[in-house]
Amino acid sequence: MKHCLWILLGISMMSAADESPIAIALHGGAGTIERGAMSEELEATYRAFLHDAVTSGYEQLREGRSGLDVVVTVIQMMEDSPLFNAGRGAVYTWNGAHELDASIMHGEKLDAGAVAGLSTVQSPIALARTVMEGSPHVMLAGPGAEAFAQEQGFDPVSPEYFGTERRREALEAYKADEQAGRKPEADHKFGTVGVVVLDQAGNLVAGTSTGGMTGKRWGRIGDSPVIGAGTYADNRSCAVSATGHGEYFIRHTVARDICARMQFGAATLEEAARTVVIEELVAAGGEGGIVAVDPAGKVAMVFNTPGMYRASIDATSRKVVGIYGEDETP
Amino acid sequence: MKHCLWILLGISMMSAADESPIAIALHGGAGTIERGAMSEELEATYRAFLHDAVTSGYEQLREGRSGLDVVVTVIQMMEDSPLFNAGRGAVYTWNGAHELDASIMHGEKLDAGAVAGLSTVQSPIALARTVMEGSPHVMLAGPGAEAFAQEQGFDPVSPEYFGTERRREALEAYKADEQAGRKPEADHKFGTVGVVVLDQAGNLVAGTSTGGMTGKRWGRIGDSPVIGAGTYADNRSCAVSATGHGEYFIRHTVARDICARMQFGAATLEEAARTVVIEELVAAGGEGGIVAVDPAGKVAMVFNTPGMYRASIDATSRKVVGIYGEDETP
């Protein structure tokens, strides 16, 4: 009789393990993304990419890969694509250079790594992970961060690696606007990528990677490498990656605040995300959006801009791929 | 009769304005500060300095000066003193240089400014304020931040300005320990300064300035210039400045979390500060402390190290100056 109980308990635990929820959500930047401003062909390219990236991440989670591995590999797909402002395809600084930022956080023990102002590192998200796992620090910047990368065996790439004609033209348009005293093109601030997951072990992980703002000067650091602003993960509440006008996301500690409203204020993920992005940020004038996942595998993808490149698969296996505001949300 | 009412109302409003609470708290670093490890003379020097600094700040608040002005001027007193690891007296990096960080935040509209990795700016807190008020950005780093400083009229100082024999010896001891495989001297991470105030207009302001960690490498950025980690201010909850092992303070978004526990979880300032510093940080192994003030002018000075250089005057005019753990707390 006792034996039977142990066997039954064992079976129920195995089945609970098989059923442990998994979920993933990703973004490729928010902004003035409107139907009609994009060719059908380019739109289809984005949709196919977002679909493939989220499916790849979900399959890896199903196979039991760690959330850290999944966040890094999916962000690397996006860093390697010129479609997004991260890695290859990063925007240009005022001086015609590239300065890339990234961060990653693991929700179990709140481990985190962040890098800022990189010019020669092919995958900033990989270096952020190495800072987390291979250094006593959380945040490294500039030439010091690149020296650390080389000590850790990262081969430097030449600045040309990141360059694309589309982003070069965006810099020229930005400078022409600024120098003529016109308001620069609306979207020079956007295009960051980010991934959040819940893995089979119940860990929440978030990562973000960006090329920053077109025409940025003075060693500006945005929200992407700032833990609590562009990225946060805590198994007790949620994992968040943000994209948008970084200064507002730093001042409102957007990623941490969404989790904090769940942890201290008992909000649901969707309520917390909407309060921060739709109420607080809109009142302050901060444009952008977030993707987030909670410990039950619920997903939120919330933005206050016309569009956000996004995709998710939640714990019920429901898949969503969207670009414009009127596309379905999770 | 109606006139009398208006006059009475006017008098009561004037008196309310006269009575609007003000408060200030400051720290000069936390760590292994123990009675017996310091000469009586040096202890008296620290106590006199802390007393003068907090009194100066309080008098400025009484005269109606803005919280921003008070935070900057009091931090500048500490930056200019070689007693603290900020400005003159900053610790040395591994390469024998100085890399200074600072940040400031105003609680009314959550405006913020931060600078990291400065080598030639005499007052990092003044530059952080200029970033907040004179740029579209929140955070600038490295040579870019110094170029911004010069565009804004900051005269560069030579690296020798920051140097002191005491800190040079600390670097040599640190390197000798590291290279011999010994655990480096306990306090190489500490000594940051910070000030928080409630001004007559009801605004909460927080600022923090630091020379970083002795022997730091790879362009490491600690919590001091990270909004939400080392510094946070929101008129709805509190103003916080932190000092300690920065990596833990970033991962736990310490300054923001104290305010968030008040805003979302209805904790008092003291409860929120103790939960974060004494429970969360101790469980994680993160040493350090905070000073904080709330909209009623209550003060909290909480640390999990043997000592913290600190001083405060709260809304009841009660003055506290302390160094060791057993000194009185507010």
Side-chain angles (χ1 to χ4, degrees), chain B residues 195-229:
Chain B
V195 178
V196 293
V197 303
L198 170 67
D199 72 12
Q200 280 194 21
N203 288 315
L204 294 171
V205 182
T208 309
S209 182
T210 189
M213 284 167 61
T214 296
K216 78 173 175 183
R217 276 173 278 194
W218 307 313
R220 177 256 190 187
I221 295 179
D223 62 317
S224 301
V226 175
I227 297 299

Side-chain angles (χ1 to χ4, degrees), chain A residues 270-330:
Chain A
E270 184 72 21
E271 287 165 358
R274 295 193 69 82
T275 303
V276 173
V277 176
I278 307 297
E279 293 175 25
E280 295 262 325
L281 281 177
V282 168
E287 295 173 292
I290 62 93
V291 295
V293 59
D294 75 9
K298 285 203 178 120
V299 161
M301 303 198 286
V302 178
F303 49 100
N304 60 36
T305 45
M308 179 170 81
Y309 299 107
R310 63 196 183 277
S312 65
I313 304 178
D314 68 11
T316 70
S317 310
R318 179 156 178 261
K319 184 182 295 186
V320 172
V321 174
I323 296 179
Y324 311 115
E326 64 270 23
D327 289 339
E328 61 178 346
T329 45

Side-chain angles (χ1 to χ4, degrees), chain A residues 79-199:
Chain A
E79 286 178 336
D80 292 347
S81 162
L83 289 172
F84 306 100
N85 173 24
R88 197 159 154 256
V91 300
Y92 288 84
T93 68
W94 185 263
N95 298 324
H98 299 282
E99 289 176 8
L100 298 94
D101 308 327
S103 66
I104 193 163
M105 186 160 186
H106 190 288
E108 186 181 15
K109 296 179 180 171
L110 309 186
D111 288 325
V115 286
L118 305 175
S119 301
T120 64
V121 175
Q122 183 172 352
S123 173
I125 194 68
L127 185 60
R129 180 181 182 165
T130 302
V131 170
M132 176 173 86
E133 295 182 327
S135 92
H137 301 308
V138 168
M139 189 172 192
L140 304 181
E146 308 212 305
F148 173 76
Q150 289 179 37
E151 284 179 35
Q152 295 285 325
F154 284 72
D155 286 329
V157 294
S158 78
E160 290 75 46
Y161 170 77
F162 302 106
T164 51
E165 194 49 37
R166 172 186 173 202
R167 304 297 192 185
R168 165 74 65 187
E169 285 163 12
L171 174 66
E172 279 157 19
Y174 178 83
K175 288 179 114 164
D177 281 346
E178 266 243 342
Q179 284 161 353
R182 290 190 298 266
K183 196 165 175 278
E185 115 186 67
D187 273 358
H188 73 285
K189 308 182 209 71
F190 306 120
T192 300
V193 309
V195 177
V196 294
V197 302
L198 169 67
D199 71 13

Side-chain angles (χ1 to χ4, degrees), chain A residues 253-267:
Chain A
T253 52
V254 164
R256 176 56 187 145
D257 263 33
I258 293 171
C259 298
R261 283 175 181 275
M262 297 178 69
Q263 189 181 345
F264 309 136

Side-chain angles (χ1 to χ4, degrees), chain B residues 36-299:
Chain B
M38 186 167 5
S39 72
E40 274 181 37
E41 199 186 335
L42 185 57
E43 180 182 328
T45 304
Y46 270 109
R47 286 191 190 273
F49 189 101
L50 294 166
H51 178 276
D52 291 352
V54 80
T55 306
S56 160
Y58 188 75
E59 286 307 316
Q60 292 178 53
L61 291 169
R62 279 224 319 192
E63 288 159 13
R65 261 191 114 177
S66 79
L68 269 181
D69 283 347
V70 177
V71 165
V72 169
T73 56
V74 177
I75 287 183
Q76 283 181 321
M77 288 175 70
M78 303 178 87
E79 286 178 336
D80 292 348
S81 163
L83 289 172
F84 305 100
N85 173 23
R88 199 161 152 254
V91 299
Y92 287 83
T93 67
W94 186 264
N95 298 325
H98 299 282
E99 289 176 8
L100 297 95
D101 307 327
S103 66
I104 193 163
M105 186 159 186
H106 190 288
E108 186 181 15
K109 296 179 180 170
L110 309 186
D111 288 324
V115 287
L118 305 176
S119 301
T120 64
V121 175
Q122 182 172 354
S123 174
I125 194 68
L127 185 59
R129 180 181 182 165
T130 303
V131 171
M132 176 173 86
E133 296 181 328
S135 91
H137 301 308
V138 168
M139 189 172 192
L140 304 182
E146 307 212 304
F148 174 77
Q150 289 179 37
E151 284 177 36
Q152 295 284 325
F154 284 72
D155 286 329
V157 294
S158 78
E160 290 76 45
Y161 169 78
F162 301 106
T164 52
E165 194 49 36
R166 172 186 172 201
R167 303 297 191 187
R168 164 75 66 186
E169 285 163 11
L171 174 65
E172 279 157 18
Y174 177 83
K175 288 178 112 165
D177 281 345
E178 266 242 341
Q179 283 161 354
R182 290 189 297 266
K183 195 165 177 277
E185 113 185 69
D187 274 359
H188 73 282
K189 308 182 210 71
F190 307 121
T192 300
V193 309
V195 178
V196 293
V197 303
L198 170 67
D199 72 12
Q200 280 194 21
N203 288 315
L204 294 171
V205 182
T208 309
S209 182
T210 189
M213 284 167 61
T214 296
K216 78 173 175 183
R217 276 173 278 194
W218 307 313
R220 177 256 190 187
I221 295 179
D223 62 317
S224 301
V226 175
I227 297 299
T231 302
Y232 205 79
D234 184 336
N235 283 358
R236 295 170 292 185
S237 49
C238 68
V240 179
S241 171
T243 176
H245 192 160
E247 279 70 13
Y248 291 88
F249 284 65
I250 295 175
R251 291 163 49 201
H252 289 264
T253 51
V254 164
R256 176 56 186 145
D257 263 32
I258 293 172
C259 298
R261 283 175 181 274
M262 297 178 69
Q263 190 180 345
F264 309 137
T268 66
L269 179 67
E270 184 72 22
E271 287 165 357
R274 295 193 70 81
T275 303
V276 173
V277 176
I278 307 298
E279 293 176 25
E280 296 261 325
L281 281 178
V282 168
E287 296 174 292
I290 63 93
V291 295
V293 60
D294 76 8
K298 285 204 178 117
V299 162

